[in-house]
Amino acid sequence: MSASTRKATSSYIRPYAAQIASIAILQAIGAVMQVLAIGMLQPILDVANAGYGNEYILSNGLFLLGLTIVYALSVALASGMSSRVAARVASDIRRDVLEATLRSQNLGAAGDTTTFTLTCLTSDAMSIQAQVYMMFSLYLPVPMVILTMVYSTCLISLSIGAMLIASMLLVTALTYVLSRRASKFQANRTKGQDLVTRSLREKIVGSRTIRAYSGRDHENAKFEFISRFLGLNTKNVVMSSYYLPIFTTAFVWIFIVFVYMIAALDASSSTVEPSHLMIFMQFTACMVAALAVIPIICIQTPQARASMERILAVLGSVEPERPRSERREDGYALRVEGASLEDEYGRMTMKGLYLEIPRGRVVTLTGMNGCGINELMDVITAFRVPTAGTVTVCGMDVAASDPSDIRRAISYAGRQSGVFHSSIRTNLDAEHVHDDDEILEVCRRTGFIDYVEGLQGGLDAVVSSSFMSGGQAQLLALTRCLLRDAEMYVFDDCFFSMDDRALSKAVGAILGSCSGRTVLFASHGMTTVNVSDEVFLIQNGRVADSGTHEALLERSAAYQEMFSKRPRTISC
C-alpha cells in the first residue's frame, strides 16, 4: 500500500481512535481470558485424577465458566464496536465521494464519472467497510492471542515455543507470496464491476430504445460478455488467494499437532498424559484459529487497497478551490475574448471565440450541431476552463474565480431538466427561501400551474422524471430557474419538448420576469431569435455573424439556410 493510500485510510480511521482503543482493550481481555480458561483445564483434570471431592471440582468448573463468559462478552462487545466503526468509516467515505463528484469541475475527469462513482459508493465502500471491521474484530486479536499462546507454550517447553514461532513465520511468508498473485486480478475485477454497472444503467434507462430498435439480442450478448469477464476475474482472485492459503494453513495445522503430540508424550512411559494432551490440543486449536486469519488478511487487504486507490482517484478529481478574484464591473454580463477549448478527444470545439453581451440584453446563440455552443455553456457555468483566451461571466474570470461565485450570479435551465425524486416544492426551491404564494405565482407565469394543481397534494406532491412528460419536466426546470434572483439567466436548449402554446407562454414569462436582467438563450433552433436584441451565429467554434434576426436574414446565407429549415419562432 502506497504512502498516500495509507495516509488517506488512516485519516478516516483516526477520528474513531477512542472507540478503537476500547476495542483493543476488550480484545486484550478476551485473549487473556482465553489463555486462563485453557490453563484452568489442568487443575480440573489433575484434581479429578487425584480423587478430590466434587465441590472442589465444581468450584474450579464455575471459575472456568466465568472466564469463558467474560471472554465471550469481551469478544462480542469488541465485534459490535468494530461493526459500528466500520459502518461510520464507510459512511464518511461515501459522503466524501459523493461530495467530490458534485464538486468536480471536470465531470469527465475519471472516465464515465457516474459509473465510476456508483462502483465507489457501493462495492468499493463495502470492501473498505469489510476491511475495517475485520481489522478490529478479527485481525487485532491475532497478535494478542499468538503472543499469549507462544508465551504459555514456552513455559511448558522452550523448544516447542521456538518451533511454534518458526511455523508462524512460515505460514505468514507462504500466504503472502501466494496471495500476491491475486493482486493483479483485483483491478480487472473492479473494472468488470464498472462495466456491469454501466451496462445495467444502459439497459434500464434505455429499455424503450432497446425494444424500439430490436437491440435486445445485442444488449444481452454484451451483458453476457461483461458478466463472463467479471466472473472470470472473480474466479481468478478466489483461486489464487483462497485455496492455496487454506492448504498452507492445513499444513501448519498438521505440523503443530505433530509437534504437540510429541511434546505430550511422557518421556519415561512413552504414553500420552490425557491432561497434557488436552491442554496442548486446546493451545493448538487457538493457534490454528489465529493463524487461519493470516490468509484472510492477505486476501482482503489487496482488495481493500485497490478500492481505496479508486476512491482516491475520485477524491483527487476535485480541483483545488480557486481564490476569489475581484469582479470587473465593465457593463458586460458576458465577455468571451479569444477563447479556445480542447475536448477530451483532442478536438478544438472553440477556436478563438469572441463575443460580448452587455448587461440587460436578451441574446440568442444559435448554430448547427457541433458548432461549439454546448462547450461554451459548460464554460459559462464554470464546469470547464478555456484552453486559451478568457471568459468573463458577470465580471468574473472563469479561470481565476471560484465556480460557486459564478453559479450564484447566474440561473441556469438546461437540456436535462434535473427532476429529483422529491416534492415539487423542493424541486423548485431546494433552499426553501420562497413562500408558497411566490412559488405559485411564478408557476402561473410559466404555465406550470396546470400541472401543480392537477396533482393531489399540490406543491407537496412527490414527483420524479418517470411521472412527467418532457414538456412538464422542462417547465419545472424553467420555473426553478426564474425563482432564483440572478444577474444573468441562461436557457440552454430547454424548449424542445414544449408545444407552441406552452413555449409562447414560457418565453413570455421569461421576458416579463427578467426585465432589465441579462437573458441568454442557447439553441440549435430558431425559437427565440425574433424576441432577442441580438443573435450570434456560431459556426466551427467561432462567431460567424451577429445582429438582429432581421439583419441576419438579409445578409447571412448560412443564417437564411438555418431559418428555412427550422422556421419555428414565437411571438410574445
Side-chain angles (χ1 to χ4, degrees):
M1 186 179 292
S2 64
S4 60
T5 306
R6 285 195 298 270
K7 183 178 179 181
T9 305
S10 62
S11 67
Y12 284 105
I13 296 175
R14 199 177 301 117
Y16 306 101
Q19 294 92 320
I20 294 171
S22 301
I23 294 171
I25 293 172
L26 289 171
Q27 297 286 21
I29 293 173
V32 173
M33 293 300 104
Q34 194 173 8
V35 174
L36 291 177
I38 294 175
M40 281 300 299
L41 293 174
Q42 181 73 43
I44 292 176
L45 293 173
D46 289 343
V47 167
N49 292 332
Y52 287 97
N54 292 334
E55 293 183 0
Y56 191 81
I57 297 175
L58 181 60
S59 63
N60 280 275
L62 290 175
F63 185 65
L64 175 61
L65 179 62
L67 293 176
T68 306
I69 292 174
V70 173
Y71 164 73
L73 288 175
S74 62
V75 171
L77 288 173
S79 179
M81 293 181 67
S82 300
S83 178
R84 287 192 292 273
V85 170
R88 290 172 183 171
V89 169
S91 177
D92 293 343
I93 289 175
R94 292 188 182 99
R95 178 202 63 213
D96 289 349
V97 168
L98 188 58
E99 182 180 352
T101 303
L102 294 176
R103 288 177 53 208
S104 177
Q105 305 310 316
N106 185 357
L107 298 183
D112 188 343
T113 308
T114 305
T115 299
F116 198 87
T117 302
L118 285 174
T119 306
C120 288
L121 289 172
T122 53
S123 61
D124 289 333
M126 289 171 62
S127 176
I128 299 297
Q129 181 173 350
Q131 172 74 354
V132 172
Y133 171 72
M134 295 171 70
M135 181 166 57
F136 296 126
S137 66
L138 201 60
Y139 306 164
L140 187 61
V142 168
M144 301 177 184
V145 172
I146 289 178
L147 287 175
T148 52
M149 295 299 172
V150 168
Y151 175 75
S152 302
T153 305
C154 289
L155 291 179
I156 299 174
S157 172
L158 188 60
S159 60
I160 298 299
M163 297 182 69
L164 188 60
I165 294 173
S167 66
M168 287 189 299
L169 294 177
L170 176 63
V171 70
T172 303
L174 286 177
T175 51
Y176 176 77
V177 171
L178 295 175
S179 64
R180 287 283 292 178
R181 299 179 66 247
S183 299
K184 63 181 180 180
F185 298 117
Q186 293 292 349
N188 284 336
R189 183 165 75 167
T190 52
K191 180 181 178 182
Q193 291 170 339
D194 281 342
L195 293 174
V196 168
T197 302
R198 181 186 304 164
S199 179
L200 286 174
R201 286 176 54 233
E202 291 174 352
K203 287 171 74 68
I204 294 172
V205 177
S207 58
R208 294 185 180 180
T209 305
I210 292 172
R211 289 170 174 82
Y213 77 90
S214 302
R216 181 183 300 178
D217 293 340
H218 168 74
E219 289 299 319
N220 286 340
K222 182 175 70 174
F223 188 74
E224 288 176 5
F225 171 78
I226 294 170
S227 298
R228 286 196 299 271
F229 176 80
L230 176 61
L232 176 62
N233 284 282
T234 301
K235 185 189 76 172
N236 289 335
V237 171
V238 172
M239 291 297 293
S240 62
S241 63
Y242 185 69
Y243 293 111
L244 292 177
I246 285 182
F247 293 151
T248 304
T249 306
F251 163 75
V252 176
W253 170 276
I254 297 172
F255 174 75
I256 294 176
V257 171
F258 176 75
V259 171
Y260 276 170
M261 290 188 67
I262 291 178
L265 291 174
D266 185 88
S268 59
S269 61
S270 296
T271 59
V272 179
E273 289 287 339
S275 62
H276 290 173
L277 180 59
M278 183 170 290
I279 297 299
F280 281 128
M281 291 304 294
Q282 287 296 323
F283 278 130
T284 299
C286 293
M287 286 300 304
V288 173
L291 291 174
V293 176
I294 296 176
I296 299 176
I297 297 175
C298 295
I299 295 169
Q300 181 68 26
T301 301
Q303 181 177 348
R305 179 173 59 244
S307 296
M308 181 54 74
E309 289 172 353
R310 288 164 53 83
I311 289 169
L312 290 179
V314 175
L315 300 181
S317 66
V318 180
E319 297 179 358
E321 292 187 3
R322 303 170 196 162
R324 294 191 173 182
S325 59
E326 293 185 3
R327 298 183 62 164
R328 189 168 111 191
E329 298 299 340
D330 55 3
Y332 289 94
L334 177 65
R335 294 190 68 171
V336 182
E337 302 172 286
S340 299
L341 182 67
E342 182 178 353
D343 67 8
E344 292 80 5
Y345 300 100
R347 301 174 303 182
M348 297 302 295
T349 54
M350 291 166 50
K351 305 172 185 177
L353 183 66
Y354 285 88
L355 65 87
E356 294 179 339
I357 300 177
R359 291 181 182 271
R361 301 270 287 179
V362 178
V363 174
T364 293
L365 305 180
T366 189
M368 302 298 288
N369 292 334
C371 66
I373 291 179
N374 292 342
E375 289 75 16
L376 178 59
M377 290 299 103
D378 288 341
V379 175
I380 291 174
T381 52
F383 281 108
R384 293 195 185 194
V385 175
T387 308
T390 60
V391 176
T392 306
V393 179
C394 299
M396 293 175 283
D397 185 351
V398 170
S401 302
D402 187 339
S404 60
D405 291 340
I406 295 175
R407 293 172 196 148
R408 274 193 291 268
I410 64 177
S411 187
Y412 176 83
R415 297 176 298 279
Q416 297 180 346
S417 54
V419 180
F420 306 106
H421 187 79
S422 186
S423 68
I424 291 182
R425 178 183 286 102
T426 300
N427 268 282
L428 294 177
D429 183 23
E431 297 179 348
H432 302 291
V433 297
H434 300 281
D435 58 33
D436 288 2
D437 291 338
E438 292 174 323
I439 296 175
L440 292 173
E441 175 58 29
V442 178
C443 289
R444 289 188 186 92
R445 293 181 201 165
T446 60
F448 189 57
I449 190 66
D450 295 337
Y451 179 78
V452 175
E453 292 180 342
L455 294 175
Q456 185 177 1
L459 293 176
D460 294 318
V462 176
V463 297
S464 70
S465 57
S466 302
F467 306 115
M468 304 180 74
S469 69
Q472 291 167 342
Q474 288 181 346
L475 281 176
L476 184 150
L478 189 148
T479 305
R480 176 200 296 146
C481 180
L482 293 181
L483 272 167
R484 288 196 60 189
D485 184 18
E487 299 177 40
M488 181 168 67
Y489 293 83
V490 180
F491 302 93
D492 181 10
D493 202 12
C494 58
F495 304 116
F496 57 86
S497 293
M498 295 184 189
D499 58 50
D500 291 341
R501 175 177 172 274
L503 174 60
S504 178
K505 189 173 183 63
V507 174
I510 293 172
L511 298 178
S513 300
C514 303
S515 179
R517 310 284 182 96
T518 307
V519 176
L520 176 60
F521 295 110
S523 173
H524 296 297
M526 313 294 286
T527 306
T528 58
V529 291
N530 64 329
V531 297
S532 298
D533 299 321
E534 189 172 11
V535 178
F536 288 88
L537 176 62
I538 311 296
Q539 289 182 326
N540 298 320
R542 297 185 177 93
V543 175
D545 206 343
S546 64
T548 64
H549 170 56
E550 292 78 11
L552 289 176
L553 276 179
E554 290 181 4
R555 68 169 181 258
S556 174
Y559 190 83
Q560 292 171 6
E561 182 182 1
M562 279 189 63
F563 186 74
S564 65
K565 293 180 179 179
R566 305 179 183 184
R568 184 192 188 196
T569 59
I570 53 105
S571 58
C572 300

